[in-house]
C-alpha cells in the first residue's frame, strides 16, 4: 500500500516505527485450520485471563503473615487469630464485590491453563510438530509447562489457609529430603523454621512478578517462533512442505481467534460463577500442628503426590546423613528424569531416525507407530501416578484396601507403560493396514452381488482421489543402517559401536511398518473396481517414494 493510502493514524505510526511494512508482511500471513491448533490458543487466553483476574486479586490480597483477629462477615471464623494473608483472602471472598467470582475464575483459569498446555503438548508430540525446525519451541514449551505448574502451586499456597499450609508442609518435607543441603535449603526458602513469617511475601513476589514475567517473555518468543517457522499443517492435496494452505490472519483468523478468546473467557466465567473451587473458609487458618485429610492438590500436582505415596518407606544412612529414598526417588529423582526425557525427546528421535530435514507437514499418529506407542506409555506412567494420588479416596469410595490399591499401582507403574506402548503400536499398525485396504479396495458398500457362476462378492466404492492422496501422503523412510567397516581407502569408519546401537534402535523404531500401496498395486486395485473411466488418480504415491523406498528430498 502506498504511503498516501494509509489511514491517518497508521501513517503517523508508520512514519515513526515502520508499522505498515510489518503489518503488510504479517497481517496477511496464512494460518492453516485444524481444531487441534486451538489448544495453544486456549493456553494463551487462559494466561491472559490469569493476569487480568490476578491484578484484580492483588488489589486486595495482603501478602503478610502478621497476625490479626478476624472480624469479617463470615461468622463461623469471627474472633479467630489468623494471618493477614488469610484474612484478606476471606475478605476478597465475602466482602469485596465480585471478589469470590474473581478468585474462582483465577483458580479455574489456572487449572485450565495447565490442562490446555498439557493437551497442546500431546498434540505437538503425537503429530511430530516438534521436529526440525521447531525443537526450540518444544523446549520453551516444556519450560513454560513446568513454570505454569510451579506458579499454580505457589498460587494456592498464598491464601495461608489450612489447605494451602498442608501443601506447603509437603513441600517443606521434599526440600528437607534433599541430601546434605536439605535443612539449609528449607531455611533459605522459608526464611527460617517452617512456616515462618516470610513465605507468603516471598511467594507473592514470585507469583505476581517473577514467574508471570518469565512466562510472558517466553510466550512472546514462542509465538514469534510460530510466526517465523510458519504453522505446520496436516497433509492433503495441495499441501506441501513448502507452502501453507489456510486463512489469512486478517480478517479471518483474527476474527476467529478474537471470538474464541471470549468463548474461553465466557466458559471460565460460568465455571467461576457456578462451580466452587478452593473454599478456603472451610478448614480455617493454617496451623502447622494440624493437617487436613480433606486436602486435595490441584490436578497438576497430583502425579507428584501419587509418586510419593507409591514408594515404599526405605531409608539409608551414610556417614551420619540419612537419605530418605521414599522421598528422594519419587520427588527429587523421578520428576527431573521424566521431564528431561520429554524435553529431550525431539533430539532422541532425531538421533534414532537420522532425519535432519525440516518438517512442516504433520504426521498422522498411526503412521509413526513407535512414537505414538511411546506417547501412550508416557501418558500411562503419568496416569498411574495420578491415580495413586487418590488412593485414599478410591479406598473409601469403593470400599477397597488402600494397600491393595498401592500395590496394584506399584506393579502398574512398570507394566502399564509397556503394555500401553505395545497395544497402541499394534493399533496404529492395524490402522495403517486399514488405510491401505481403503486406498486399494475402497469402502465396503454393503451391496452384495452374485456372479453367473454363483459366487457372492461385496461391491467396493472407490474413495475420492483427495482422500486417496491424503492417506498415502506420508513418507516411509528405511531405518538407519550401519555403513561399511572401512571406507574406499581402507580407513576404518569411526564410531562403529555407536552406529550399531543406533541401527538396532532404528530397526525397532521402524519395525513392522505397513508398506504404502505402490503405483502398480493401485492400478491393479482400481482395474477391478467400478470407478468411472478417467477418474483422476490423485494419490501421493505418484510423487513420493512408496513401499518403504526413501522419498526423494
Ligand atoms: C500462570 C499464571 C498464574 C497462575 C497459574 C496462577 C494461579 C493461582 C492460584 C491457583 C491461586 C489460588 C487461588 C485461590 O485462592 O483459590 C492464585 C492466587 C493468587 N494469584 Fe495467581 N496465578 C497466576 C498469575 C497471577 C498473576 C499474574 C497475578 C497478579 C498480577 C496473580 C495474583 C494472585 C493473587 C493476588 C492470589 C492470591 C489471592 C487468592 O488466593 O485468592 N496470579 N493464583
Ligand atoms: C504458555 C503456554 C503456551 C502457549 C500460550 C502456547 C501457544 C501456542 C500457540 C498459539 C501455537 C500455535 C497454535 C497451535 O499450534 O496450537 C503454538 C504452537 C506450538 N507450541 Fe505452544 N504454547 C504453549 C505451550 C507449549 C508447550 C507446553 C509446548 C510443548 C512442550 C509447546 C510447543 C509448541 C510447538 C512446537 C508449536 C508449533 C506447532 C506447529 O507449528 O504445529 N507449546 N503454541
Amino acid at each position: 500500500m502506498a504511503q498516501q493510502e494509509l489511514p491517518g493514524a497508521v501513517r503517523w505510526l508508520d512514519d515513526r516505527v515502520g508499522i505498515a511494512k510489518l503489518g503488510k508482511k504479517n497481517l496477511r500471513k496464512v494460518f492453516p485450520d485444524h481444531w487441534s491448533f486451538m489448544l495453544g490458543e486456549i493456553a494463551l487466553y487462559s494466561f491472559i485471563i490469569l493476569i487480568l483476574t490476578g491484578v484484580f486479586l492483588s488489589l486486595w490480597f495482603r501478602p503478610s503473615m502478621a497476625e490479626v483477629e478476624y472480624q469479617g462477615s463470615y461468622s463461623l471464623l469471627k474472633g479467630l487469630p489468623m494471618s493477614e494473608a488469610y484474612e484478606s483472602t476471606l475478605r476478597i471472598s465475602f466482602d469485596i464485590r465480585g471478589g469470590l467470582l474473581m478468585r474462582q475464575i483465577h483458580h479455574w483459569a489456572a487449572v485450565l491453563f495447565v490442562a490446555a498446555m498439557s493437551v497442546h503438548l500431546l498434540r505437538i508430540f503425537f503429530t511430530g510438530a516438534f521436529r526440525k525446525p521447531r525443537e526450540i519451541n518444544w523446549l520453551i514449551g516444556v519450560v513454560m509447562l513446568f513454570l505454569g505448574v510451579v506458579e499454580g502451586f505457589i498460587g494456592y499456597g498464598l491464601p495461608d489457609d489450612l489447605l494451602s499450609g498442608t501443601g506447603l508442609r509437603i513441600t517443606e518435607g521434599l526440600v528437607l529430603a534433599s541430601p546434605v543441603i536439605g535443612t539449609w535449603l528449607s531455611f533459605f526458602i522459608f526464611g527460617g523454621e517452617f512456616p515462618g513469617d516470610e513465605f507468603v511475601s516471598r511467594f507473592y513476589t514470585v507469583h505476581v512478578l517473577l514467574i508471570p514475567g518469565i512466562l510472558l517473555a517466553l510466550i512472546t518468543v514462542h509465538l514469534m517462533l510460530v510466526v517465523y517457522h510458519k504453522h505446520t499443517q496436516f497433509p492433503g492435496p495441495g499441501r506441501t512442505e513448502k507452502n501453507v494452505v489456510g486463512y489469512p490472519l486478517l480478517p479471518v483468523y483474527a476474527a476467529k481467534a478474537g471470538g474464541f478468546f471470549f468463548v474461553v473467557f465466557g466458559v471460565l466465567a460460568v465455571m467461576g460463577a457456578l462451580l466452587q473451587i478452593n473454599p478456603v473458609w472451610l478448614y480455617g487458618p493454617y496451623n502447622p500442628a494440624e493437617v487436613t485429610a480433606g486436602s486435595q492438590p490441584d490436578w497438576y500436582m497430583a502425579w507428584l503426590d501419587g509418586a510419593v505415596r507409591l514408594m515404599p518407606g526405605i531409608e539409608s544412612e551414610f556417614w551420619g546423613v540419612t537419605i530418605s529414598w521414599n522421598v528422594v526417588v519419587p520427588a527429587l529423582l523421578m520428576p527431573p528424569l521424566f521431564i528431561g526425557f520429554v524435553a529431550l525427546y525431539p533430539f532422541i528421535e532425531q538421533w534414532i531416525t537420522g532425519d535432519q530435514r525440516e518438517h512442516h507437514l504433520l504426521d498422522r499418529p498411526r503412521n509413526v507407530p513407535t512414537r505414538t506407542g511411546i506417547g501412550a506409555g508416557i501418558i500411562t506412567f503419568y496416569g498411574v501416578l495420578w491415580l495413586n494420588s487418590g488412593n485414599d479416596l478410591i479406598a473409601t469410595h469403593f470400599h477397597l484396601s488402600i494397600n491393595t490399591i498401592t500395590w496394584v499401582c506399584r506393579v502398574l507403574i512398570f507394566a502399564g507403560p509397556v503394555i500401553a506402548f505395545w497395544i497402541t503400536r499394534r493399533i496404529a499398525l492395524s490402522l495403517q493396514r486399514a488405510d491401505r485396504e481403503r486406498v486399494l479396495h475402497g469402502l465396503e458398500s454393503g451391496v452384495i452381488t452374485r456372479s453367473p457362476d454363483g459366487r457372492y462378492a461385496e461391491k467396493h466404492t472407490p474413495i475420492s482421489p483427495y482422500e486417496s492422496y491424503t492417506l498415502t501422503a506420508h513418507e516411509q523412510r528405511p531405518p538407519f543402517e550401519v555403513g561399511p567397516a572401512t571406507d574406499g581407502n581402507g580407513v576404518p569408519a569411526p564410531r562403529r559401536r555407536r552406529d550399531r546401537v543406533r541401527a538396532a534402535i532404528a530397526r525397532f523404531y521402524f519395525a513392522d511398518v505397513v508398506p504404502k500401496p505402490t503405483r502398480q498395486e493401485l492400478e491393479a486395485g482400481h482395474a477391478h473396481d467400478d470407478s468411472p473411466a478417467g477418474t483422476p488418480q490423485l494419490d501421493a504415491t505418484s510423487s513420493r517414494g512408496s513401499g518403504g523406498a526413501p522419498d526423494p528430498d
Side-chain angles (χ1 to χ4, degrees):
M1 201 187 289
Q3 268 283 344
Q4 302 80 338
E5 291 169 39
L6 292 172
V10 180
R11 182 150 20 101
W12 188 90
L13 256 183
D14 186 42
D15 287 344
R16 282 148 189 88
V17 293
I19 192 108
K21 207 165 141 218
L22 203 77
K24 207 166 144 195
K25 194 156 161 253
N26 291 310
L27 291 179
R28 300 291 298 169
K29 208 167 182 81
V30 171
F31 207 80
D33 215 19
H34 191 267
W35 66 266
S36 66
F37 302 162
M38 73 184 183
L39 297 165
E41 282 181 56
I42 300 181
L44 179 64
Y45 302 149
S46 37
F47 180 71
I48 295 172
I49 294 162
L50 277 164
I51 295 185
L52 295 177
T53 48
V55 170
F56 179 95
L57 293 175
S58 61
L59 299 179
W60 284 282
F61 180 73
R62 291 222 195 92
S64 150
M65 291 294 277
E67 200 174 283
V68 291
E69 190 176 291
Y70 183 66
Q71 290 303 342
S73 53
Y74 186 63
S75 53
L76 288 179
L77 294 176
K78 262 209 171 107
L80 232 66
M82 57 181 64
S83 68
E84 265 192 296
Y86 185 48
E87 194 252 359
S88 62
T89 313
L90 290 175
R91 198 151 62 89
I92 295 173
S93 306
F94 294 116
D95 303 303
I96 306 289
R97 193 159 296 177
L100 182 57
L101 179 66
M102 286 296 171
R103 264 198 60 226
Q104 301 221 113
I105 297 182
H106 192 72
H107 206 133
W108 278 120
V111 168
L112 181 69
F113 177 57
V114 186
M117 271 199 279
S118 310
V119 187
H120 175 58
L121 178 145
L122 292 179
R123 183 307 263 170
I124 307 281
F125 182 87
F126 283 114
T127 57
F130 54 75
R131 288 171 300 166
K132 188 180 172 186
R134 297 181 179 76
E135 303 97 321
I136 300 177
N137 239 4
W138 171 266
L139 287 176
I140 292 177
V142 174
V143 174
M144 291 198 292
L145 182 51
F146 175 74
L147 287 178
V149 169
V150 174
E151 173 77 346
F153 181 67
I154 292 180
Y156 71 79
L158 288 178
D160 193 34
D161 65 320
L162 193 54
L163 284 176
S164 68
T166 307
L168 286 178
R169 181 57 130 183
I170 295 173
T171 314
E172 189 224 11
L174 305 187
V175 175
L176 282 177
S178 318
V180 186
I181 54 164
T183 319
W184 284 280
L185 200 61
S186 170
F187 270 57
F188 175 71
I189 292 175
F190 293 101
E193 199 68 63
F194 178 85
D197 293 337
E198 303 278 346
F199 84 86
V200 169
S201 53
R202 288 186 177 186
F203 281 20
Y204 184 70
T205 311
V206 174
H207 186 81
V208 303
L209 195 70
L210 191 64
I211 297 184
I214 301 175
L215 273 174
L216 199 60
L218 288 178
I219 290 177
T220 311
V221 178
H222 192 70
L223 296 181
M224 279 165 70
L225 281 175
V226 171
V227 172
Y228 175 69
H229 292 140
K230 298 179 190 59
H231 204 277
T232 54
Q233 57 188 346
F234 278 98
R239 297 172 185 184
T240 71
E241 290 283 7
K242 300 222 153 42
N243 70 4
V244 184
V245 179
Y247 298 108
L249 186 63
L250 209 77
V252 181
Y253 227 86
K256 272 182 146 185
F260 192 46
F261 170 79
F262 290 103
V263 172
V264 175
F265 207 158
V267 169
L268 281 175
V270 170
M271 288 173 80
L274 300 180
L275 306 173
Q276 176 171 286
I277 188 163
N278 199 11
V280 285
W281 53 89
L282 277 191
Y283 298 97
Y286 180 53
N287 169 358
E290 292 171 12
V291 287
T292 161
S295 154
Q296 287 299 321
D298 266 6
W299 78 267
Y300 44 84
M301 296 307 297
W303 68 295
L304 290 175
D305 192 17
V308 176
R309 292 180 191 204
L310 201 65
M311 183 75 187
I314 307 170
E315 279 187 359
S316 356
E317 219 182 285
F318 299 102
W319 305 288
V321 177
T322 307
I323 311 278
S324 306
W325 297 110
N326 48 339
V327 184
V328 169
V329 172
L332 302 177
L333 283 180
M334 186 278 293
L337 287 178
F338 181 75
I339 298 171
F341 177 72
V342 173
L344 294 180
Y345 184 80
F347 305 97
I348 299 173
E349 188 183 289
Q350 201 174 64
W351 182 75
I352 296 172
T353 58
D355 186 358
Q356 302 287 342
R357 297 162 311 155
E358 289 203 355
H359 290 278
H360 302 285
L361 282 178
L362 293 169
D363 286 325
R364 292 176 81 214
R366 68 185 61 177
N367 291 331
V368 198
T370 306
R371 181 202 295 148
T372 308
I374 293 175
I378 291 176
I379 296 176
T380 309
F381 181 80
Y382 186 93
V384 173
L385 295 181
W386 203 75
L387 190 76
N388 195 50
S389 76
N391 60 1
D392 51 340
L393 291 183
I394 300 174
T396 50
H397 278 67
F398 297 100
H399 307 290
L400 294 169
S401 140
I402 195 161
N403 293 339
T404 312
I405 299 168
T406 308
W407 269 106
V408 168
C409 287
R410 279 178 186 164
V411 174
L412 276 183
I413 198 70
F414 295 106
V418 180
I419 297 171
F421 169 82
W422 191 79
I423 292 179
T424 309
R425 196 157 175 270
R426 296 315 308 174
I427 293 176
L429 290 167
S430 305
L431 289 171
Q432 281 189 15
R433 250 173 245 123
D435 278 356
R436 189 184 145 85
E437 280 296 299
R438 205 176 160 94
V439 172
L440 282 178
H441 304 297
L443 296 168
E444 292 170 1
S445 65
V447 179
I448 311 287
T449 53
R450 191 175 171 199
S451 63
D453 57 4
R455 274 191 303 156
Y456 289 96
E458 187 178 10
K459 271 182 117 177
H460 281 224
T461 322
I463 56 174
S464 77
Y466 294 102
E467 189 181 350
S468 175
Y469 181 93
T470 308
L471 294 184
T472 49
H474 58 287
E475 58 167 16
Q476 292 188 318
R477 283 164 61 82
F480 169 79
E481 295 285 352
V482 189
T486 53
D487 68 8
N489 301 320
V491 180
R495 299 195 289 258
R496 292 277 297 168
R497 185 174 302 169
R498 208 189 71 174
D499 281 358
R500 266 200 294 273
V501 174
R502 185 173 162 196
I505 302 176
R507 269 197 302 280
F508 172 75
Y509 190 90
F510 288 106
D512 302 331
V513 168
V514 180
K516 289 198 298 188
T518 58
R519 172 147 281 281
Q520 289 80 350
E521 280 177 317
L522 260 172
E523 277 160 6
H526 285 296
H528 55 76
D529 68 30
D530 302 333
S531 59
T535 307
Q537 296 302 313
L538 189 66
D539 59 88
T541 50
S542 53
S543 60
R544 292 172 181 252
S546 60
D551 281 7
D553 276 345

